[in-house]
Amino acid sequence: MSTTEPATAGGAAPTDGGPNYLSHKQILVVLGGLMAGMFLAALDQSIVGTALPQIVSEFNSLDKLSWVVTAYLLTSTASTPLWGKISDLYGRRPLFIAAIVTFLAGSVLSALAQNIEMLIGFRAVQGLGAGGLMSLAFATIGDVIPPRERGKYMGYFGAVFGLSSVAGPLLGGLLTDGPGWRWIFWINLPIGLVALGIVAAVLKLPHVKRSHKIDYLGAAVITGAVTTLLLAISWSGPSNGWGNGTTIALLAAAVVLAVTFVFVELKVSEPIIPMDLFKGRIFSGYAGFAFLLGFAMFGALIFLPLYLQAVKDMSPTRSGLALLPMIVGIFSASIPSGQLMSKTGRYKIYPIISAVMVGAAMVLLSTLSMATPYWQLAIYMFVMGAGLGLSMQITVTAAQNSVPRQHMGTATSSMTFFRSMGGAIGTAVYGAVLTTRLKDHLGDIVPNATQSMVDGLAKAANSVQALHGLKEPMKGWALHGLVDAMGDVFLVSLPFLAIALILAVITPEQKLAGRNDGPKAEGEESLESSAAAAMH
């Protein structure tokens, strides 16, 4: 039998499984706590990207650049369904606090890392906390705001992402140029402690307690599946060859573990990702879309700072400022689309336009050369950002609206899981493409190239300082090869974005539930009446 905690701040106690939507004033109080935690995770995503070229240069390990990001994405990816499930059982607030503490612990350890392997490991701890910060924030939104009204509050979260996106690259550059890159992790402590205080004080939500069984086996199996896949893509394949026994064994293990995960989820009483969710075309369609968009997104976010610092010879601070057009694009597209979604009740068009714009941006970015003027790159980045902004939050709202309320946290964290998994796999794929194609291009560029010369120039590309320290014509050859390899990286995303576009087109649209509505069955056609009701 379930027992109910009393609601706080004047909210009504929830009924088991029923809506417990808050008033506008109550929502603003809750949002204060959520935005504090989300700012912490969002800032870290943008602040680290600008410093990455300097970090890997210090450790002389450009070939491991993708792993600094992949380790973070791996743990955040594998943990997001677990955060969502446990929060469904124990409540959002204690789990949100635990996520902040875990994130801060990872930040301290990352700041103290003495080599690239330690940094990769500690970034994994940081990612564990970040997975909870993002997924729990959106799950809480699903608890307290009706789907139809969520668009009105997208502006607040757009402001958080906008502020962190503007402050992150600039702050990362200033800290890297100033006291050193380790301060991009130390800076999380004061911000995190403030977030912790706000969350502890204001994020007090009613929660329905019920009996529980945590699916630890499912969490372990899905973590193993993602890990073996990433090891195959980013380590064994590029190093040993794609036909090597180790690579084949890792890929086979990933497939076996993925199939095992499905069977485990079908058998356990409380799976971390209920397979019933995938019976709905809306959830399954946008889960696939989130995966594919994440695949494309993280490649641009990682390799654009490298292009700006290595090829354009910008300092970390200048490269951070140079990324502003992408951030402006995200900010300028996400807020209007959220407002329009609330006003009209329609959302299907935005993911479609998003896939087209991101695909166009990738084609444009693939044309970058050593002589490309910055104003052209700024346009390309703005198109990329606007494309991302059109769908990042809307697909989550659409998925939330299509599932029963008891699966709200699980569905939300699952959407975050698929986007993060796409980012982790995309980052690993991009890193493998860059490493492989760099040597191929160097072999074509360098006159009478020997394997030792190609290997030497590729090794010099492990460090931005080493690249800039080369004498001509070797410096020109190395940079030319790096730019050409980056062009290949951006083109790799196009087939995946084409599939994303198909998914966006074929996924059905369902009316967004209002304040007094529960989620309806998929296919209920009442968009017109819903839009009319919103006008009164």
Side-chain angles (χ1 to χ4, degrees), residues 124-495:
V125 176
Q126 200 180 24
L128 185 64
L133 291 175
M134 288 293 186
S135 62
L136 294 176
F138 286 117
T140 304
I141 293 170
D143 288 336
V144 302
I145 306 175
R148 186 61 182 272
E149 297 181 17
R150 283 174 210 157
K152 294 190 294 187
Y153 296 94
M154 289 293 183
Y156 296 103
F157 288 95
V160 169
F161 281 105
L163 177 61
S164 63
S165 298
V166 172
L170 180 58
L171 190 58
L174 289 172
L175 292 174
T176 303
D177 285 336
W181 62 263
R182 295 179 189 276
W183 280 89
I184 66 173
F185 298 113
W186 288 123
I187 196 68
N188 288 332
L189 287 184
I191 299 172
L193 291 175
V194 170
L196 195 60
I198 295 175
V199 168
V202 307
L203 192 61
K204 297 178 180 178
L205 299 172
H207 170 60
V208 179
K209 293 181 179 178
R210 57 192 177 92
S211 59
H212 56 273
K213 291 182 180 179
I214 305 299
D215 181 19
Y216 293 111
L217 177 60
V221 173
I222 192 61
T223 301
V226 177
T227 302
T228 51
L229 178 61
L230 294 178
L231 285 172
I233 295 172
S234 60
W235 166 64
S236 185
S239 300
N240 303 323
W242 297 103
N244 178 267
T246 302
T247 305
I248 294 174
L250 286 169
L251 291 173
V255 172
V256 170
L257 287 169
V259 173
T260 302
F261 173 72
V262 173
F263 280 108
V264 169
E265 298 304 275
L266 289 171
K267 296 293 184 182
V268 296
S269 58
E270 296 189 27
I272 56 173
I273 302 182
M275 292 295 109
D276 284 348
L277 290 177
F278 295 95
K279 293 179 180 178
R281 290 177 58 196
I282 293 177
F283 178 86
S284 56
Y286 284 130
F289 184 92
F291 173 89
L292 295 163
L293 200 70
F295 188 105
M297 175 175 66
F298 283 97
L301 295 179
I302 292 169
F303 290 106
L304 282 175
L306 178 61
Y307 172 83
L308 292 168
Q309 293 180 36
V311 180
K312 292 301 184 182
D313 199 16
M314 290 186 180
S315 67
T317 302
R318 285 186 62 206
S319 71
L321 287 170
L323 291 173
L324 285 178
M326 179 184 293
I327 294 149
V328 171
I330 293 175
F331 194 61
S332 63
S334 61
I335 296 178
S337 61
Q339 296 288 339
L340 286 170
M341 179 179 68
S342 283
K343 183 178 181 180
T344 66
R346 296 182 180 273
Y347 55 81
K348 183 181 177 73
I349 189 63
Y350 303 115
I352 294 173
I353 299 174
S354 171
V356 172
M357 291 185 69
V358 174
M362 287 298 186
V363 172
L364 293 171
L365 289 171
S366 71
T367 66
L368 292 177
S369 69
M370 294 175 64
T372 301
Y374 173 72
W375 67 265
Q376 282 188 17
L377 176 59
I379 294 173
Y380 302 166
M381 290 191 292
F382 179 85
V383 174
M384 177 78 177
L388 294 173
L390 279 173
S391 64
M392 289 176 66
Q393 315 308 333
I394 285 176
T395 52
V396 174
T397 300
Q400 287 176 335
N401 185 62
S402 70
V403 301
R405 285 187 57 80
Q406 65 265 30
H407 290 320
M408 183 70 72
T410 305
T412 307
S413 60
S414 295
M415 289 293 291
T416 308
F417 167 86
F418 285 110
R419 184 168 60 194
S420 296
M421 184 167 66
I425 295 174
T427 301
V429 169
Y430 289 151
V433 170
L434 183 72
T435 301
T436 303
R437 295 298 293 158
L438 175 60
K439 291 186 177 182
D440 293 341
H441 286 298
L442 287 173
D444 295 334
I445 293 168
V446 179
N448 302 317
T450 62
Q451 189 61 47
S452 61
M453 184 181 295
V454 168
D455 291 342
L457 289 175
K459 185 177 181 180
N462 280 336
S463 165
V464 173
Q465 285 89 346
L467 271 174
H468 293 163
L470 290 173
K471 295 182 179 180
E472 294 293 353
M474 288 186 293
K475 178 181 178 180
W477 293 338
L479 289 175
H480 192 179
L482 186 62
V483 172
D484 288 347
M486 285 185 186
D488 295 337
V489 164
F490 293 123
L491 288 176
V492 164
S493 67
L494 292 182

Side-chain angles (χ1 to χ4, degrees), residues 3-14:
T3 59
T4 306
E5 295 177 358
T8 60

Side-chain angles (χ1 to χ4, degrees), residues 11-97:
T15 57
D16 193 2
N20 185 50
Y21 299 135
L22 303 185
S23 67
H24 175 70
K25 184 176 180 180
Q26 292 169 323
I27 288 170
L28 292 181
V29 174
V30 172
L31 286 185
L34 297 180
M35 289 191 294
M38 288 187 68
F39 179 76
L40 189 66
L43 181 69
D44 189 75
Q45 287 182 353
S46 57
I47 199 173
V48 171
T50 314
L52 271 178
Q54 292 297 317
I55 294 173
V56 298
S57 293
E58 178 175 320
F59 293 137
N60 195 33
S61 54
L62 180 65
D63 56 328
K64 295 186 177 69
L65 178 146
S66 63
W67 269 104
V68 177
V69 178
T70 298
Y72 179 91
L73 292 174
L74 171 61
T75 50
S76 65
T77 295
S79 67
T80 44
L82 204 56
W83 284 111
K85 185 63 181 178
I86 297 176
S87 74
D88 277 343
L89 304 175
Y90 292 109
R92 313 290 187 215
R93 180 171 176 263
L95 268 295
F96 205 70
I97 291 172

